[in-house]
Every structure is written in C-alpha cells, then in structure tokens.
C-alpha cells in the first residue's frame, strides 16, 4: 500500500511536465528580429562580390526559354549593379543607397526596381536594421514569426502564421537559418497568378559568405525564371562610376516612347514585360 501511494506523486509530476511544460516549449518561436540576426550570423559577410550567372526566362508554354549572361556587382550593404549584354539587348540595372535606375539599349526606362529585382535584397542589405526596414517596405511584418515545414524540412516563417501564404513572408531553414523561400506578393484567390515566390537553392560557402548557386522564381507554383550562378569573385575591384546614378543619367537619356509602368502593368505580367524589354518574341 505504501509503495502505491509513493508512485502517485511521481505520476502527477509526469502529467504536469507533459501537459504544461512540453507544449509551451514546442510553441515557443524565435522573434523575427532574432531570426534575422541568426540569419546574418550564418550567412557571413563580404565587402564586395562579382558574380557571373545565367538568367533563364521561361515562356508561357513552359517548353523553352531565353538565356542571358548576367553579371552582378555587389558593394555591401547598399550598392548593386546588374549587366546583361547580348546580341539583341543591353540591360543595366543599378541600385545605390535607395536610388535605382534601369537602362535598356542605351535608354533610361525606369527609376525604380522591378519585382524580380528584389530577390537580392536579402544578401545586399546585410545588416538586421537595414533589412528590417526594407522588408517592412515590401510588406513583410517582421514582428510575426512561426514554425512550419517545406518539403519535409522544418522552417521558420518570418512575416506570417504558418501555413498562411496570403501575405509576404520569408522562410528560413530551421537548422541553418539560411533563406529558403521569399513569397513577395502573397498567394490569395484574387491575385494567385500574380503572386511571386523566390526559392534559394544550392548554397555554397565562398570565402566567408554563403551564397545560393541557384535561384528559382515561381508564379502560381509554375517556374517562370531561373538563375544559375557560374562564378563568384570575392575580392573584386570596381570603378565608382559604375554605380553613380547621376552620372549614368547624364549618359543615358530617358526613353520618351516607353510606356508608363502603370499602363504596362495592366496587360503584361513581369515575365512578359521583361521579354518585351529584351526585344525578343517567342516562336
């Protein structure tokens, strides 16, 4: 009888532990700001990067696409340049301390960033404060975080309560804190076809910084664009004129025939707009 009564307290202790302590531990999620700090600690930092990559644009039939050689120049944390030069098109996109300029075939066509250009923000703004400000502008509520799963992998979701994908959000792998997905526009019934998702894949360590060797872009879960990194230089030298937007504006005059962004947005999605800008028509 005494042995029986001695087991009762232990039984209740076990019940208390599993009923109260264990669920609370499982429910705890790191705060968004802390997640970003851990992300940058894991990614590492570099002062400059020079990247050569293939940019592939897939057509509406999903059977083929256009390929372009693209060169990226990073000066962290707020300066970036992309150059695409081919027989059919020349495209320059520059971002310098919040100001942007896009030049196509020698004409300045835009003074703001296109949606597809945002994928590099996670690397470029390599401090928590700078990236938090940028994410808020892009609609990601850094104060919201949750736990989830993607293709069987545990993840942290920054900007939404999993599994809600109707708002902009960033997913980090739980074991490495490296970015895995960025849902830029949110997947809702009204704009599902316009929703853009970026996936960061094949991460590699280069000197002291991790970088994804493949980036995929999805519209309505369909692959519409892909980046394949071919080479990365970690200590390049750049001329400051390459990033001087005022200097570039003096060289490349505005294209008076260019349609306004609002007019173009009404009847062309981002993929079609890019194809049009590149002066290419799918067969």
């Amino acid at each position: 009888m005494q042995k029986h009564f001695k087991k009762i307290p232990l039984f209740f202790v076990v019940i208390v532990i599993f009923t109260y302590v264990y669920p609370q531990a499982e429910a705890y999620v790191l705060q968004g700001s802390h997640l970003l700090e851990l992300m940058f600690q894991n990614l590492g930092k570099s002062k400059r990067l020079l990247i050569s990559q293939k940019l592939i644009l897939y057509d509406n039939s999903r059977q083929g696409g256009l390929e372009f050689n693209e060169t990226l120049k990073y000066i962290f944390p707020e300066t970036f340049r992309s150059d695409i030069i081919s027989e059919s098109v020349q495209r320059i996109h520059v971002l310098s301390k919040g100001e942007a300029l896009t030049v196509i075939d020698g004409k300045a066509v835009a003074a703001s960033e296109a949606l597809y250009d945002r994928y590099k923000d996670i690397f470029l703004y390599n401090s928590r404060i700078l990236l938090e400000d940028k994410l808020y502008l892009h609609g990601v509520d850094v104060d919201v975080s949750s736990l989830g799963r993607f293709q069987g992998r545990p993840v942290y979701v920054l900007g939404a309560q999993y599994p809600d994908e109707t708002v902009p959000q960033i997913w980090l792998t739980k074991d490495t804190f490296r970015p895995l997905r960025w849902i830029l526009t949110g997947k809702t019934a009204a704009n599902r076809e316009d929703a853009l998702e970026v996936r960061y894949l094949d991460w590699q360590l280069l000197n002291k910084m991790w970088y994804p060797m493949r980036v995929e872009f999805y519209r309505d879960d369909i692959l519409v664009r892909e980046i394949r990194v071919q080479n990365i230089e970690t200590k390049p030298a750049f001329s400051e004129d390459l990033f001087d937007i005022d200097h570039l504006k003096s060289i490349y005059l505005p294209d008076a025939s260019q349609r306004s962004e609002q007019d173009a947005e009404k009847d062309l999605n981002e993929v079609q707009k890019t194809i049009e800008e590149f002066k290419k028509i799918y067969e």
Side-chain angles (χ1 to χ4, degrees), residues 259-270:
R259 299 173 62 195
S260 70
E261 293 185 16
Q262 287 184 343
D263 290 339
E265 192 69 30
K266 291 179 181 179
D267 48 22
L268 292 174
N269 63 29
E270 288 284 349

Side-chain angles (χ1 to χ4, degrees), residues 43-257:
L43 290 181
K45 289 189 177 183
S46 178
K47 293 182 178 179
R48 298 186 175 201
L49 288 180
L50 174 62
I51 299 177
S52 300
Q53 61 189 31
K54 283 281 187 183
L55 171 64
I56 305 169
L57 309 179
Y58 296 104
D59 66 5
N60 291 332
S61 67
R62 320 301 175 193
Q63 297 177 351
L66 299 176
E67 290 191 12
F68 298 93
N69 293 318
E70 184 176 17
T71 302
L72 307 183
K73 299 176 178 69
Y74 288 91
I75 300 180
F76 299 97
E78 295 182 273
T79 305
F80 170 84
R81 174 167 172 147
S82 161
D83 289 86
I84 296 175
I85 300 177
S86 70
E87 295 180 356
S88 59
V89 66
Q90 294 185 4
R91 179 184 184 268
I92 301 170
H93 175 68
V94 179
L95 179 67
S96 181
K97 297 180 180 179
E99 189 176 1
L101 179 68
T102 300
V103 177
I104 296 177
D105 289 343
K107 297 292 184 180
V109 300
S112 60
E113 283 200 296
L115 189 62
Y116 281 98
D117 293 322
R118 294 181 189 172
Y119 79 93
K120 53 86 181 71
D121 288 359
I122 291 178
F123 325 119
L124 179 60
Y125 301 101
N126 61 356
S127 79
R128 179 184 62 79
I129 295 176
L130 286 176
L131 185 58
E132 272 192 14
D133 291 342
K134 183 60 63 171
L135 292 180
Y136 273 121
L137 290 176
H138 294 337
V140 179
D141 187 350
V142 180
D143 295 327
V144 178
S145 59
S146 59
L147 286 170
R149 300 189 73 84
F150 181 69
Q151 297 179 345
R153 302 177 63 182
V155 297
Y156 285 109
V157 179
L158 184 62
Q161 291 293 339
Y162 177 84
D164 178 17
E165 295 187 0
T166 63
V167 295
Q169 55 196 270
I170 291 178
W171 294 34
L172 310 177
T173 54
K174 193 172 184 291
D175 55 342
T176 67
F177 298 99
R178 287 195 286 268
L180 178 61
R181 303 174 79 198
W182 185 355
I183 299 175
L184 282 94
T185 56
K187 299 179 179 181
T188 64
N191 73 340
R192 186 164 181 81
E193 291 186 358
D194 293 330
L196 178 63
E197 174 187 336
V198 182
R199 297 182 187 176
Y200 303 92
L201 308 167
D202 297 342
W203 288 85
Q204 290 191 16
L205 182 61
L206 306 151
N207 197 359
K208 296 181 180 180
M209 180 178 178
W210 288 88
Y211 196 89
M213 304 303 286
R214 193 168 90 250
V215 182
E216 296 177 344
F217 300 80
Y218 290 83
R219 291 274 194 188
D220 196 20
D221 298 323
I222 297 173
L223 181 65
V224 295
R225 181 180 295 207
E226 185 177 0
I227 289 172
R228 298 175 185 172
V229 176
Q230 297 174 307
N231 186 62
I232 299 180
E233 294 182 29
T234 58
K235 295 182 180 180
F238 303 134
S239 169
E240 297 299 326
D241 288 345
L242 293 173
F243 309 93
D244 188 336
I245 290 183
D246 289 335
H247 174 68
L248 294 172
K249 286 180 178 179
S250 69
I251 298 175
Y252 303 108
L253 299 178
D255 185 355
S257 65

